[in-house]
Amino acid sequence: MISVALGTGAIALVTLYQTAFEQQCERLVETVSSQAQLIEAVARFAARHSSADAPGGAFAATLSQIRDAHQRYDGLGKSGEFTLAKRQGEQIVFLLRHRNLDHELPGSLPISGAAAEPMRRALAGETGTLIGRDYRMETVLAAYQPVTELNLGIVAKIDLAEIRAPFIKAGLLIGGVTLILICFGSALHRHIGNPLIRNLEENERKYRTLFESGIDGVLLMSDVFEECNDQACRLLARERKDLIGHSPAEFSPPFQPDGKDSAVAAEELLGAVFSGIPQSFYWQHQHPDGTLIDLNISLQAVEVSGRQMCLATLHDITESRRAEQALRVSEGKYKQPSQEFQALLDGIPDSLLLLSPELEVVWANQGAADSCQRVAVSLPGEHCYKLWHNRSAPCEQCLVRKSFRSGRTEIGKMAHPDGRTWGIKAFPLKDSAGQVINVIKLASDITEQHRLREEASHNSRLASLGELAAGVAHEINNPNGLILLNLPALREVFADLTPLLDELHREQGDFTIGGLRYSEMRQEIPAMLEELQESADRIKRIVEELKDFAGRDNSTEGEIIDLNHLVQTATRLVTHVIKRSTDSFSTNYENALPKITGNFQRLEQVVVNLIMNACQALPNRDRGIFITTRFDDAAGSCVLEVRDEGIGIAEEHLPQIINPFFTTKRISGGTGLGLSISSRIVREHGGRLDFSSVPNAGTSVTLELPVNLEVQQS
C-alpha cells in the first residue's frame, strides 16, 4: 500500500516534470530560432543600407541594434540567459549577454575547454538542445543555433535547478501528505481489517484442507491450468509449477483413442462448459516418460472473483480400463475358431485382421503378423493404423471405418510406406440386432500384379503407337519423296531462266512475276528453294525415326564390331556439326578393345545420336565434348562415355528422357524419338544406357555393350 501511494505520487511528479521540461525545451528552441532569424535579417539590412565608412561597418551596426533591442527585453526568468558569441582563433568571445536585466559580458573562454559547451556547438554549426555546462560551469538546459549570416553562435539557456525547484517542493509536500495518510490508514487497517483478514485466512485454510485432501485430482482452469491440488499433480506425474499456465493438450498424446486431435477436443469441451453444459468424458493423458493413463474427467463452470472458470475433477480409471480390455481379449479368444480353423487361417498368406470399433486388433492371422514383421500374439490391442502406417490417428480414407459406418463390404487399394500396393477388403460382422460389432480386414499384396498390369497397358499403348507411327510415316513419305525428286529440277530451271530474266531486266527495267518484283524475286527464289530442301530433309529424317520407332529392322546379329572403329566412323559423319558447335572436342580410345557382336549401322545410329545431343547441349563454342572408350573387365563389357559441358538435364526430366516423344527441344525441331530408339537398340544388343547430369555443368552418357566371348576366345 505504501509502495503504491509513493509510486503513484512519484509517477505523477515525473510526468509533470517531463512535461514542463519538454515545454521549456520548445520555448528555448523557439527563442533561439526567432532570435537567429531576426539577427540575420538585421545583418542583411545593415549590409545593404549601412555606409561603408561607418565605424565598424555593417557588423558593428547590426550588433549595436541587437544590444539596443535587448536593453528593453526582460529575459527568460530568474536564471534564463541569452548569449551571442563569435570564435576568435581558439577563443570564444562573447558579444552579448542578457540575464535578468544583467548585460555584463563574461570573459573569453578557450574553444577546447569544458565550459560553454552549448556555445561551442553553435559556433561549430550545430543546432539542437542539451543539458550541459555553460561558461559559469553551471548545469543548464540550453538551445543553440549558428547565425550563419555573421558566423556567430547564439544560445538561450536556463539553469536546470530553476526547472526542478517547484517539483522538488511539490514532491516533498506530496511525500509528507502521503506519509500522514499512510499512518492514518495503517491505524485504521489494524483496528478494522485485521479481524477480517484473520477470518479470511481461517476460511482459506479450511477450504485448502478440503481441496488437498480429496481422493480425486482437482484443477481450476480457464484455457490453461490456474490452480491444482496435490492429487492432480500425482495423477499427471508433474509438479505444480509445471502445470500452472499450461493447456490440457500439452500433457496429452497428439490424438485421443477415438482419433480426435487432443488440442481440438480440449477446446471443444471447454467451449461447451463455458456455454453452460457440464461435461463428463474419458480422456487419455501422457506422463513425461511416455506412459499413457486413462482418466474420467468431469467439467463444470464456476465463477471465481468475477471470472468464469472451469472446475475439473480427475479420476484414474487406468486399471478398470485394462480390466475391460482384458475382458474384451478374453471374449475375443472365446469367440475364436477352433485350432483347425486357426491353422487354416494362418495358412493363408494374406493378412487377416479382426478389428474393434476403436480400430484395435482383436485377432490376427500369421499373414498379418508377417506383413507387420511382428509376432502374432503381440498384435491384439494394437491399433491397425499404428501397425500398418506408424500413425497416431486413423487414415483419412480408412475402409474399415467406412465399413463400420455403412454396414457393407468395402473394397479398395492402399499404398504402403515401403512401396508395396495392397488390395483391401473390409467385411462387417453384425450382431443379432444388425449392428456392426467388428470388421474383418483382408489385405493382399498386389504389388507385382499391379506392376504387370501397368506394364502390359504401357506396352499395348506403345505397340498401338508404333503401328500408328508406321502408317503416318508411309503416308508422309510418298508426297515428301515427290518434293525431294522435283526440287533439283526446279533449281535447274531457275538457274537456266536467270540469265534470260537478267537480260530482260536490263532492257525493260524492273518487272513483276507472280506478284513479286524481279529484283526481289531473284534473291528470294534460291532461298525459298533452299528452305524447301531443308524442310523436306527434316521430314525425311522424322519419317526415318518414326520407322525406326515402329521397329523397321531389329537385326542385332551377324557382325563382329570394333567399338573404336564404330565411334570413329560415327564421329566422321557428324564432323561438320562438331566443328560448328565447339572448339574443344577430344577422343580417348583404349587400345585393343575386345570385339562386340551386333548391327554396325544401328549401333552407329546410337553413337551419332549421342554426339548430336552433346553438340546441341553446348551453350557456346568454349564448352567441350569428350569421348572415351574402355573395357570393363568386371562386367565383361566395352564402354563408351560421351561427356559434354552443356546446359545439363533438369533432375525432374532425367527419368523421362528415353520415353517416346519426350523432348525439351520441341521448339528447335526435336521429336523425342532419338534417345527412345537408341535405348531400344542398346537393349536389343544386350547393353545398357546410363545418364548422369548436373544442370548448367554438363551431362555424361555411358553406353555398355557386352563382349562376344566366343570371338574373344577365338
Side-chain angles (χ1 to χ4, degrees), residues 495-676:
D496 292 342
L497 284 175
T498 300
L500 299 175
L501 294 173
D502 286 344
E503 184 178 352
L504 183 62
H505 181 264
R506 284 192 299 271
E507 293 175 356
Q508 298 183 8
D510 210 357
F511 55 90
T512 60
I513 299 177
L516 288 175
R517 300 179 67 83
Y518 176 70
S519 58
E520 298 175 2
M521 184 195 70
R522 194 180 190 286
Q523 303 296 326
E524 290 293 329
I525 293 298
M528 292 167 64
L529 291 172
E530 185 63 30
E531 289 175 357
L532 283 172
Q533 182 69 47
E534 291 179 358
S535 298
D537 288 339
R538 181 179 172 189
I539 292 172
K540 181 180 179 182
R541 186 179 70 254
I542 293 174
V543 167
E544 291 298 321
E545 289 182 350
L546 286 172
K547 287 181 177 179
D548 283 336
F549 177 70
R552 177 183 61 183
D553 179 12
N554 294 327
S555 174
T556 62
E557 299 180 357
E559 296 182 65
I560 298 173
I561 301 171
D562 181 348
L563 182 60
N564 287 342
H565 174 63
L566 175 70
V567 176
Q568 290 165 357
T569 303
T571 303
R572 283 195 296 272
L573 291 175
V574 292
T575 298
H576 66 290
V577 179
I578 295 172
K579 290 181 177 179
R580 190 173 65 240
S581 303
T582 180
D583 293 328
S584 178
F585 180 79
S586 69
T587 56
N588 182 18
Y589 301 110
E590 183 175 314
N591 294 326
L593 282 178
K595 300 295 187 290
I596 58 176
T597 302
N599 187 310
F600 186 95
Q601 183 180 1
R602 291 175 65 74
L603 290 176
E604 180 186 61
Q605 178 184 351
V606 173
V607 177
V608 167
N609 181 258
L610 297 181
I611 297 175
M612 290 289 290
N613 285 346
C615 291
Q616 293 166 4
L618 299 179
N620 54 62
R621 296 178 59 85
D622 296 333
R623 303 288 184 94
I625 298 175
F626 310 94
I627 295 180
T628 305
T629 63
R630 56 185 171 84
F631 175 64
D632 186 344
D633 188 43
S637 300
C638 287
V639 179
L640 166 66
E641 181 181 4
V642 180
R643 181 173 63 86
D644 65 68
E645 296 176 335
I647 59 175
I649 303 171
E651 184 178 353
E652 63 271 18
H653 292 159
L654 205 55
Q656 307 176 60
I657 57 177
I658 63 172
N659 292 344
F661 302 106
F662 176 83
T663 179
T664 59
K665 300 179 289 186
R666 188 78 64 191
I667 297 176
S668 60
T671 62
L673 291 174
L675 285 178
S676 176

Side-chain angles (χ1 to χ4, degrees), residues 28-29 32 117-123 125-130 142-146 154-156:
L28 291 174
V29 169
V32 165
E117 175 64 18
M119 183 58 75
R120 185 161 53 252
R121 294 193 180 188
L123 291 174
E126 298 177 16
T127 300
T129 60
L130 60 73
Y144 52 90
Q145 184 173 327
I154 184 170
V155 175

Side-chain angles (χ1 to χ4, degrees), residues 209-283:
T209 301
L210 291 173
F211 184 71
E212 296 293 351
S213 61
I215 60 173
D216 290 335
V218 180
L219 292 155
L220 191 63
M221 57 189 296
S222 51
D223 56 338
V224 297
F225 297 135
E226 297 193 13
E227 187 55 70
C228 65
N229 66 354
D230 291 340
Q231 181 62 13
C233 294
R234 284 190 290 270
L235 285 175
L236 303 182
R238 285 172 173 84
E239 296 182 2
R240 184 178 180 278
K241 62 182 179 61
D242 297 325
L243 293 173
I244 303 304
H246 294 274
S247 65
E250 293 180 55
F251 310 107
S252 308
F255 297 91
Q256 290 299 307
D258 61 358
K260 268 196 173 183
D261 183 280
S262 294
V264 174
E267 184 177 352
E268 291 175 353
L269 290 166
L270 286 174
V273 170
F274 288 133
S275 298
I277 306 173
Q279 300 290 315
S280 181
F281 53 93
Y282 159 71
W283 189 264

Side-chain angles (χ1 to χ4, degrees), residues 339-393:
Q339 289 186 353
E340 292 81 5
F341 191 53
Q342 175 74 43
L344 176 64
L345 294 177
D346 283 340
I348 299 174
D350 295 335
S351 170
L352 273 173
L353 294 171
L354 181 65
L355 299 173
S356 70
E358 292 81 19
L359 304 184
E360 291 182 352
V361 177
V362 178
W363 173 88
N365 75 338
Q366 188 59 44
D370 293 340
S371 65
C372 300
Q373 297 181 344
R374 296 276 296 271
V375 179
V377 294
S378 68
L379 297 185
E382 295 279 359
H383 291 93
C384 67
Y385 48 81
K386 177 69 174 177
L387 288 173
W388 280 75
H389 297 285
N390 198 27
R391 291 170 56 100
S392 55

